[in-house]
Amino acid sequence: MLPKNLEAIVHMPENLTIILASVMLLGALIQWVSWWIKVPAILGLLLAGILLGPVTEVIFPDKLFGETLFSFVSLGVAIVLFEGALTLKFSEIKHHGSVVRNLVTWGAVVSWLTMGAGFYWLTDLGGSLSLLFSALVVVTGPTVIVPLLRTVRPNQNVSNILRWEGILIDPLGALFVVFMFEFVIFGLDDSLLTFLKEIVIGCCVGTLAGILLGSILKRHLLPEYLQNVFVLGFVLAAFALSNQLGHEAGLIAVTIMGIYLANTKDLDIQELLSFKETLSVIIISVLFILLAARIEFSQLEQIASIALPVLGVVFLTRPFVVWLTTLRSNLTWQEKALISWVAPRGIVAAAISSLFAIKLAKEGDFPGAELLPALTFMVIVVTVALQSLTARSVARWLGVAEDEPTGVLIVGANPFARKLGVVLSELGFKVRLASQTWSEIHAAKMEGLDGYLGNPVSTHADRNLDLGGIGFCVALSRRPDLNMLAMMKFRNDLGRKCVFSLVDDRNLGDARKDRSVTTEHLRVPGLFGSDITLSKLLRLLTAGASIKVTTLTNEFTSAEYEEHYGERAIRLLCVDDKKKIHWFTDEKTPDLKTGYALVSLIMTEEQVKAA
């Protein structure tokens, strides 16, 4: 409890700016710490809000913001839903197997009905609120699942299913929740016509806004520096217009609008996604702290009596639905068991539950609606915390955790990166290339390599760049700044000893010898040697050099290899008899033994003479 004089100072209207700035800074710090210790940020944000709200009573959002809180939350949720909808491409539902398709379509409906029935019989929420609450907790959170998979490292079958389920059910589930809210507000008994009117208005405005905005973007009528700001204004305008035409049609409109843009041919939305993701991080950080701060101890006491039944329904429904949706699949029972266990809830559930609770409270005819945020936050905290702590052990116990990952993520898809990727793939290693250049990724896929089109250090990459089975990251991009950022990012995911980068051309000569050029804690080993740069490798390839694999034997030892190739060979890496990669760097030269496969760039005699 705050002293009365301090409480008065904290809640003075003129201090609102300071409080908002402090909450934003706190949210950013929590995001940073969560990234550093590899814990989902949503946990820290919700716990910080509860600490600042009901525990210490430092913040009372309703007193601070008054009626504007509803508008702020509404606009924030609209942006979050639009950004999530931008990631839904219907083609991806078809291309990721029947299990994923079943889980995000009829499987989600079965989950909703099963949990709704359970909540109705075991709680006092009533029929309508039970169905709404079950719709809220159907959606698993991709921003929670993706970091979790990196820690758990399940086999490829489980990893793909869980990752794509989270990505695809996010916008589909959000749309479903909004439809369910419309049903709760209007009800079939009240006015089926009004209920359908809200849905039609939202779908029509969203589609028309998507067509108009898509046409503007495809025709390049906006300068690049205005695109993101214009789209943001356009989305919020469509949201406000829909709500003006139909009482609660705005959320449907922005979700439909995002889905339409995501599925429009020949429309590049990568930059748009990057901007919206950055904006969503800011909004989510502030929103979750403020929304969690609205929870009251009386609500926590009320949900205490139904906490175990609610969690029991949530945890028992998941295995039932997974069993149904995987009946005709080739998954083993161990894989099904892990999929059943890993289903943390996330952003969509937390954001929409609070917004709908405020709206239902205004309607006045929905007793128990004020408990929705507390119940939803409880499910989020328990599922995220419990599954984050136990999923790795469960995966190992079931025997579906991968061994030490040996695959290679190559940042860049230039000709040398592609040649190296092909060789590694032929040696049996998983290879994934990441580049923002479409022509390079297209060329990589034509050579049979797996490619990610986008910035590998973006939030979009966090959700869509699959690191399953990846144990190393080598930065071979033409952009030294991107190489450095990739090293900083992936050494936290993969480990300091598993990230490597080529020496930057700008760091040759005296700068290379001066270790102060690069801060020591940011420095990573220079691939292939202290004088090997990307421009040199590309120049050698163009002039006729080639990458060759040589297996060392008793008849052809490393000494004989050196005698045969001499200065013609730039040693890149070797693979030992246990299928582990050892990289040649400016700091380390691996010991070569019989049975090792040595990968080198072999120059022509003319190239050696020219050097």
Side-chain angles (χ1 to χ4, degrees), residues 99 103 140 158 161-162 165 313-326 331-345 383 387 391 394 398 400:
V99 173
L103 281 170
T140 58
V158 175
I161 289 170
L162 288 174
E165 179 199 9
V313 170
V314 170
F315 280 105
L316 289 175
T317 299
R318 176 69 174 180
F320 170 65
V321 172
V322 170
W323 176 76
L324 278 181
T325 55
T326 58
L331 296 175
T332 64
W333 74 264
Q334 294 94 335
E335 290 171 333
K336 294 178 183 179
L338 185 59
I339 295 170
S340 300
W341 179 240
V342 179
R345 274 56 175 185
T383 56
Q387 292 167 13
V394 171
L398 291 170
V400 294

Side-chain angles (χ1 to χ4, degrees), residues 528-547:
F528 316 140
S530 58
D531 60 346
I532 305 299
T533 65
L534 180 62
S535 59
K536 180 176 181 178
L537 293 170
L538 292 174
R539 186 171 63 251
L540 291 173
L541 274 181
T542 303
S546 60
I547 297 178

Side-chain angles (χ1 to χ4, degrees), residues 99-112:
V99 173
V100 174
R101 184 173 62 250
N102 293 344
L103 281 170
V104 302
T105 52
W106 63 266
V109 175
V110 173
S111 292
W112 166 60

Side-chain angles (χ1 to χ4, degrees), residues 265-323:
K265 292 182 179 180
D266 303 321
L267 179 61
D268 184 7
I269 59 171
Q270 291 301 320
E271 289 298 323
L272 195 61
L273 266 174
S274 179
F275 171 72
K276 289 295 178 294
E277 286 161 353
T278 303
L279 192 61
S280 291
V281 169
I282 298 171
I283 292 171
I284 288 165
S285 300
V286 176
L287 206 59
F288 282 11
I289 292 175
L290 293 178
L291 293 177
R294 295 184 71 248
I295 296 175
E296 301 174 2
F297 270 121
S298 60
Q299 295 174 352
L300 297 178
E301 293 171 359
Q302 285 179 274
I303 70 170
S305 61
I306 60 173
L308 286 179
V310 166
L311 291 172
V313 170
V314 170
F315 280 105
L316 289 175
T317 299
R318 176 69 174 180
F320 170 65
V321 172
V322 170
W323 176 76

Side-chain angles (χ1 to χ4, degrees), residues 28-41 147 150 457 462 485-493:
L29 288 173
I30 291 172
Q31 293 274 4
W32 177 51
V33 171
S34 300
W35 167 78
W36 189 263
I37 64 176
K38 299 181 182 178
V39 172
R150 293 177 184 172
V457 299
D462 287 340
L485 288 173
M487 294 302 95
M488 294 171 63
K489 175 183 174 64
F490 291 110
R491 72 178 181 178
N492 287 289
D493 292 331

Side-chain angles (χ1 to χ4, degrees), residues 10 25 80 203 257 264 282 342 434 445 479 507 548:
V10 168
L25 177 60
V80 170
C203 291
M257 184 178 173
T264 301
I282 298 171
V342 179
K445 291 184 176 181
R479 294 173 49 194
N507 286 351
K548 292 185 178 180

